[in-house]
Amino acid sequence: MGHCLMLTLIRCSHLRVPCRINSRQFARQTILSRSLFNLFKKAPTQPEFQPTLSQDNLFHPFSGSPFPAIVARGEAIKSLAPCPICASHHDHIYAHAKAQPRAVAFECPDCGWPTHCTEEHWQADEDHAKYCSRLREVNEDEHDLRSGRRLREFELPGPQDTEAAISFSNWDVFWYTRNFASMDTERSRRHASKLLTYPITIGSVIHQYSALTLGNQRLTPEGSRSLAALRSTLHGATGTPETEEASVDKPQMRIFILGARAESSLPPHVWEQLTLLFPAALFHLYFIGPQVSLPKKAPASHTAYTSSETASQSTGTSSSPQAEDSASSESVKPEEEKPVYLPNVYEPPTPAPIVPHKRTRSSIERYGVPSYTVPYTPQLTITGMQCNYHEVHAQFQDTFDPYTDLFFMFSPGFGFPSPTSVSDVTGEPLLQIESPTEWGPVLPLLLATKCPIFVTGFSPTDVERDIKSMSIAPGVAGEFDWVITPGENAFGSEKWEVADFDPRVMVKTNWGVWGIRGKRRDVRERSVFGF
């Protein structure tokens, strides 16, 4: 009302038109006009939200951390990690008894991690200085994530400007050409790279401006043909603008992410960053694996994930007395205590259940396994299945197309020993790539589709171990062509991940990337006379 009155007064004075108002209106307008002067005064500043920890107070020993999850992690490390040097210092009564290192208990004052059993052994360890700075970096990163400050590095940009090209040379150039907020500190870089490493790794491999090319020998001639087929679906014709309208008559690009764990728990808006790299494409992501994260609530029906409260509010009554009984029993049933921290031993823990989206739908009747589907945007659909891939392969095997389908496996652990399968000949654990309960039956099925398969590893040793295992795996050795040669991934996470069973073990998520495809054997015509 004040703004309208000011405009009226300005117009009246400009046009010099007399305005007729009665005394009551004049008094009211006088009061309003006086209040207008307050618009030019500085508004009282409201106290800004103060984070729990300031940027100069991020370092805390694990036992003295203000956050229960970090304290619990310190306790988990103390129960799992051995002292790195105490074994050679322990005295035993019997000479043949093997020295057993004691668990760590002393927290290094420089990095805050439990690293040794006693202060004396910490002082005697000359190698600790080699990785102490990394541990302190991780310590401060973990406290920063929980500090309560505004994490601007997690504020993701919207659609890409059609006139601006995206560069996939490295994180810095990508963030700049993709209009991300400025990454002012190395800590912000680490946070953002860890969040985005999964979707951007996929995008950097299949995009037409990928840095993996024939020129740097990362892309092979066979790989060039495979990616050319995918890119014909991902991008529009040369010279045409890449807009959402161009995707109307295109088939969906299906990306099967097998053995999914942490990537399945990312919020959908993070995966939307992948689709924003390809405005003229439609995507359907399939997370498939026994550790896929499912929505928190079980499906109330076969159509939607809804809570009992939402259902009762929408219908007014429950569907049956049995439903009322079950609902009442659930309401009085105490919630199970969840552990504050799940230790990361040799096999990463299953991620926590994800928050269901308003469009989340159960897909158990379609796929026959615990699953859900989220049509998040017109360009992105996400499906999660909590099962081994070979259990659902039959539902897709007749529909695979090298022009629209590809597989991605993030650190699958092909070369690691299987925890469940042993060799009938030697009695030793089989490699996971040979295990009938893990990757053994899966890779031959993938190679038969002739669709590209991309794999990442968390270190050079991990990449080398997985590749060596493929040379001895039945149904895999000699049955594939290289698409991308093994090497470093420019969009791997820059944050160190520390193992709870030994703080000296540190890796980076998606450090390397490589790709293969089922071998093509071209049929050659031959005359009946042998000429």
Side-chain angles (χ1 to χ4, degrees), residues 277-331:
L277 305 178
F278 306 90
L282 305 174
F283 286 89
H284 194 151
L285 305 182
Y286 291 87
F287 298 113
I288 305 176
Q291 290 184 296
V292 165
S293 186
L294 296 178
K296 287 183 178 180
K297 295 292 183 179
S301 66
H302 69 281
T303 57
Y305 281 83
T306 56
S307 64
S308 59
E309 293 180 358
T310 304
S312 62
Q313 290 174 0
S314 60
T315 59
T317 57
S318 58
S319 58
S320 63
Q322 291 81 1
E324 291 181 354
D325 293 339
S326 61
S328 61
S329 62
E330 291 179 358
S331 62

Side-chain angles (χ1 to χ4, degrees), residues 236-370:
T238 304
T240 60
E242 295 205 2
T243 60
E244 184 178 337
E245 291 75 14
S247 64
V248 174
D249 58 346
K250 283 190 174 184
Q252 269 189 339
M253 175 66 62
R254 300 190 301 180
I255 301 179
F256 295 84
I257 302 174
L258 309 186
R261 291 187 294 264
E263 56 269 34
S264 67
S265 63
L266 287 176
H269 77 272
V270 177
W271 283 105
E272 187 185 13
Q273 290 296 308
L274 171 62
T275 68
L276 295 177
L277 305 178
F278 306 90
L282 305 174
F283 286 89
H284 194 151
L285 305 182
Y286 291 87
F287 298 113
I288 305 176
Q291 290 184 296
V292 165
S293 186
L294 296 178
K296 287 183 178 180
K297 295 292 183 179
S301 66
H302 69 281
T303 57
Y305 281 83
T306 56
S307 64
S308 59
E309 293 180 358
T310 304
S312 62
Q313 290 174 0
S314 60
T315 59
T317 57
S318 58
S319 58
S320 63
Q322 291 81 1
E324 291 181 354
D325 293 339
S326 61
S328 61
S329 62
E330 291 179 358
S331 62
V332 299
K333 183 179 179 180
E335 293 185 0
E336 297 181 0
E337 292 186 3
K338 297 181 180 179
V340 178
Y341 176 77
L342 292 174
N344 182 357
V345 196
Y346 295 96
E347 183 177 354
T350 300
I354 59 176
V355 178
H357 190 265
K358 62 182 179 181
R359 290 188 289 272
T360 300
R361 300 292 182 265
S362 172
S363 299
I364 189 170
E365 291 190 354
R366 179 173 182 180
Y367 299 109
V369 294

Side-chain angles (χ1 to χ4, degrees), residues 130-147:
K130 298 178 181 178
Y131 55 89
C132 183
S133 60
R134 291 181 183 177
L135 291 177
R136 183 184 179 101
E137 178 183 286
V138 176
N139 182 326
E140 294 180 352
D141 285 352
E142 293 298 318
H143 282 91
D144 181 56
L145 287 173
R146 298 168 172 83
S147 66

Side-chain angles (χ1 to χ4, degrees), residues 167-179:
S167 174
F168 290 93
S169 299
N170 52 55
W171 277 119
D172 288 324
V173 181
F174 171 79
W175 284 325
Y176 178 76
T177 57
R178 187 64 187 87
N179 296 322

